[in-house]
Amino acid sequence: MENWKDVTGWEGLYQVSDLGRVKALPRTFVTRNKWGEMVKHIPERVKKLNLTSGNNYLAVTLTHKGRIGRLLLS
């Protein structure tokens, strides 16, 4: 069975498993446009890992409200 833990600094948004997979947790937020407000639901999903150039680490990009981070997995 795969065990998941919160990513430090990104608690409640992203989790990493003991198998090295990273997932974005489900979110709900409100967006506004010229026609009014709209509620958006984003489901939970496992993020795609990318191979970095040069040092050959697996990495994933984390984002939330304009904040961008990169998680390197060895």
Side-chain angles (χ1 to χ4, degrees):
M1 180 170 181
E2 196 168 9
N3 296 313
W4 294 90
K5 287 179 140 183
D6 284 335
V7 175
T8 304
W10 299 86
E11 291 85 357
L13 299 170
Y14 295 96
Q15 290 184 335
V16 64
S17 79
D18 52 356
L19 299 178
R21 298 190 322 150
V22 178
K23 71 178 176 181
L25 298 176
R27 305 178 203 187
T28 301
F29 61 94
V30 176
T31 62
R32 292 174 185 82
N33 59 23
K34 63 182 179 180
W35 297 286
E37 294 183 346
M38 183 183 350
V39 177
K40 285 195 170 187
H41 302 282
I42 299 177
E44 178 180 296
R45 71 182 188 97
V46 175
K47 302 274 289 175
K48 181 181 175 185
L49 298 175
N50 300 304
L51 190 61
T52 61
S53 61
N55 55 12
N56 293 331
Y57 283 103
L58 289 174
V60 64
T61 302
L62 310 176
T63 61
H64 181 66
K65 293 185 178 180
R67 184 173 141 207
I68 300 171
R70 193 155 197 199
L71 180 63
L72 296 174
L73 304 169
S74 55

